[in-house]
Amino acid sequence: MGEFFLGMGIIGLVLGLVALLVYLWSIVWSYRDAERRGKPGWLVALVVAFLAWPVGLLLWLLVRPDHRTTYHREP
């Protein structure tokens, strides 16, 4: 019986680490996406991080601009 609970603890730990990695990835992705679209990346990352996580990410996906800002370099 103790082995069962040990196995469940390991599975829970792995699932928790995966969830943490997805959470951190979504913050970094939203920051970079906002910067590419000409919006303040730090502000979008804060919203995604602190606004009940999946809700903040979904909110950014709904309100983000359709176009990306392109930078042209002068030769």
Side-chain angles (χ1 to χ4, degrees):
M1 187 70 151
E3 293 173 5
F4 174 76
F5 290 116
L6 178 63
M8 292 303 289
I10 292 171
I11 291 171
L13 179 65
V14 170
L15 290 176
L17 288 173
V18 168
L20 178 65
L21 289 174
V22 169
Y23 172 72
L24 293 174
W25 172 83
S26 68
I27 294 169
V28 171
W29 177 84
S30 62
Y31 172 84
R32 290 179 179 168
D33 187 56
E35 289 289 322
R36 280 192 302 259
R37 295 171 189 271
K39 300 296 178 188
W42 64 271
L43 184 59
V44 172
L46 283 176
V47 168
V48 170
F50 295 117
L51 186 64
W53 172 66
V55 175
L57 183 60
L58 291 173
L59 180 66
W60 170 244
L61 290 172
L62 291 173
V63 301
R64 70 184 186 158
D66 289 335
H67 64 284
R68 292 184 179 184
T69 303
T70 57
Y71 297 100
H72 298 285
R73 290 186 181 179
E74 297 289 328

